[in-house]
Amino acid sequence: LTPTPAYAQGLNLSLSPPLLQATIKPSKSISQVFTIYNNNSDSIKLTPRIVPFLPEDHQGNPSLQPQSTPTWLSYFSLINTNIKLGQPFILEANKSDQLVLSIKIPENAPTADHYATLLVSSEGGSTPMGLNLNVTPISASIGANILLTIANQAAPATILNISTLKPTNTKFIKIGHTYFLDNLSPIHFTAKLENLGQHLTQAHGLFQIHQSSKVVNIQSLLPVNVLSHSTRELIASDSGQLIFNPKITQVGSYKASLNIRSENGSTQNSINLVLLPIKATLALILSLILLKLVLDKVK
């Protein structure tokens, strides 16, 4: 028996810019032009809409809430003459179109943050040119995230707190607030920053290793948007990992510290480290035991 072939049509869409971050005062409004590209050889039917989202994890990924209908969705509209939110339109093959998004804040709107995605979804696909076969149409969506702050000042104050700073993927002994680690192994760290305030902020800063007043290791942090009442994991801007590779001569008391800054807040935290030649000591003890056994055997 020969099965009937089925083909899935690929969809190639792009939307720019991918992110809109805006602070708007009550009774004010702004407009932003988004450009949607259809890079396919066939025209497609698209539907734009605004979908709220919540922070999904500590890496900044959004969790779309398509069933949620908060009242602030009424602040958004498309001011195109032929394209409206929630209504499909046709985008021709290898063409682009503009979505002019208007955000108008009522005069009595409370100061708060609202997070949403301008989601553009296709409605199936057409038969690929030159094929007269059973086609399995697929749908696809592409979105641009919107970080909206309603406030009377450009950078409203927020509350930042370093909730986690500790070694990870590394063997250690913890006594009180001090970590004892081997100085012959790379030391990886995990750091998390939480925003306890009502408004988002973009945080950046430095991760440092000190010995007394001397800085022996320093890494810049990748700037991240920390949404209100959420937590973000902090990573290095170069390798992505917060890591310290001690030298064999670096033994004794050290301190790992984080210094975080933003337009509307700052915070810092540190932990104590004691670096010891644990592996070297164990190797020396094992060598002495073997040497003693050999000498006893000779005698």
Side-chain angles (χ1 to χ4, degrees), residues 176-193:
H177 298 287
T178 302
Y179 294 86
F180 293 82
L181 304 111
D182 183 64
N183 72 329
L184 294 182
S185 301
I187 305 174
H188 298 261
F189 294 86
T190 292
K192 294 179 182 178
L193 177 68

Side-chain angles (χ1 to χ4, degrees), residues 9 11 14 28-29 88 118 122 157 165 189 209 246 248 259 265 280-281 290-291:
Q9 182 185 12
L11 292 176
S14 60
K28 301 298 182 180
S29 63
L118 172 60
S122 68
L165 175 58
F189 294 86
I209 304 293
I248 191 172
N259 292 279
T281 301
L290 293 176
L291 179 61

Side-chain angles (χ1 to χ4, degrees), residues 121-157:
S121 303
S122 68
E123 298 184 2
S126 59
T127 303
M129 296 181 63
L131 292 177
N132 187 18
L133 300 168
N134 293 335
V135 177
T136 303
I138 61 173
S139 60
S141 297
I142 191 170
N145 290 332
I146 302 169
L147 308 179
L148 173 62
T149 295
I150 301 175
N152 289 306
Q153 56 191 58

Side-chain angles (χ1 to χ4, degrees), residues 55 57-58 193-197 225-232:
D57 52 30
H58 296 160
L193 177 68
E194 60 181 345
N195 182 355
L196 304 176
N225 285 319
V226 190
L227 306 187
S228 63
H229 302 292
S230 72
T231 301
R232 282 294 301 268

Side-chain angles (χ1 to χ4, degrees), residues 92-108:
E92 300 296 331
N94 298 309
K95 297 290 184 180
S96 65
D97 210 336
Q98 292 184 335
L99 306 177
V100 185
L101 181 68
S102 173
I103 307 175
K104 186 175 182 180
I105 309 302
E107 186 175 1
N108 60 349

Side-chain angles (χ1 to χ4, degrees), residues 66-112:
Q67 306 303 322
S68 178
T69 56
T71 56
W72 52 263
L73 286 180
S74 61
Y75 302 167
F76 297 85
S77 64
L78 289 179
I79 57 177
N80 299 65
T81 56
N82 59 335
I83 304 176
K84 301 299 178 184
L85 289 175
Q87 299 180 9
F89 69 98
I90 301 297
L91 184 57
E92 300 296 331
N94 298 309
K95 297 290 184 180
S96 65
D97 210 336
Q98 292 184 335
L99 306 177
V100 185
L101 181 68
S102 173
I103 307 175
K104 186 175 182 180
I105 309 302
E107 186 175 1
N108 60 349
T111 58

